[in-house]
Every structure is written in C-alpha cells, then in structure tokens.
Amino acid sequence: MFRRLVGWLIRPFWKSIVRIMPDGDPWERLKVAPQLTLYGPGARRDFPHYLAGASSVVVSSFEEIQDWLLGCRYEHDDVLFAEPDFWQHPATFERLRE
C-alpha cells in the first residue's frame, strides 16, 4: 500500500523530469574524445592503432569464426604479458590465439 502511495505521489514529478530531458540520439558521436586513460591502464594507444591492418584469419561463415575462436584459449594478461591489463593488437592475438 505504501509503495503505491509513493509511486502515485512521485509520478507527476518523474513525468516532468522526463519531459525536460533531451531526447536526442543516444548513439550520437560526442563532440569531445574521451581520455584514453578512462578505458583502463591497458589502453596505451589510440583506438585507430587497434583497428589498423587486415586480419590474417580467412573465414567465410559465422561457423568458421566460431571454430577459430573456439581454438583460442583464455590467459590472464599478467601471465601472458607480465602486466595486470594489456591491450594487445588484433594481429598479436591472431598469432598467439590467447
């Protein structure tokens, strides 16, 4: 009973808040670039570095991608790279498969 009463009392306030909030596109690009350090200590280079180059893995279906990924194994960064967080380049991941 108390929850309903509180909900009934808060509802007009909540509706007014929702009305004044901007309803723009949530996927709109930010006008400022977030600082790289916000992504964690493993992010040392800008994103274009991690997206550069073509893949050496040749696949022609989702099943082949799945099979390739199932052949990879998980390993902690502190074991592989002696660091608690390390962003490896995709080409390195393709070679190590871990």
Side-chain angles (χ1 to χ4, degrees):
M1 175 78 172
F2 181 72
R3 280 181 146 178
R4 287 185 191 174
L5 179 62
V6 171
W8 182 77
L9 291 171
I10 291 177
R11 189 175 191 140
F13 174 73
W14 183 250
K15 281 187 169 186
S16 64
I17 292 292
V18 169
R19 259 188 249 126
I20 63 172
M21 290 183 69
D23 61 345
D25 180 8
W27 296 103
E28 182 179 354
R29 185 178 292 269
L30 297 174
K31 292 181 177 137
V32 294
Q35 294 177 348
L36 194 60
T37 55
L38 295 175
Y39 296 105
R44 295 190 182 96
R45 298 179 178 223
D46 289 328
F47 281 113
H49 167 76
Y50 298 105
L51 302 174
S55 174
S56 63
V57 180
V58 179
V59 292
S60 59
S61 69
F62 288 116
E63 289 78 16
E64 289 181 9
I65 295 170
Q66 181 180 10
D67 290 342
W68 189 88
L69 288 171
L70 286 171
C72 300
R73 73 181 187 113
Y74 176 79
E75 189 61 74
H76 288 276
D77 287 345
D78 55 356
V79 172
L80 261 181
F81 303 106
E83 297 182 34
D85 186 20
F86 182 82
W87 287 21
Q88 59 180 313
H89 191 275
T92 306
F93 175 72
E94 288 176 357
R95 282 193 308 276
L96 296 177
R97 294 190 75 174
E98 50 187 350

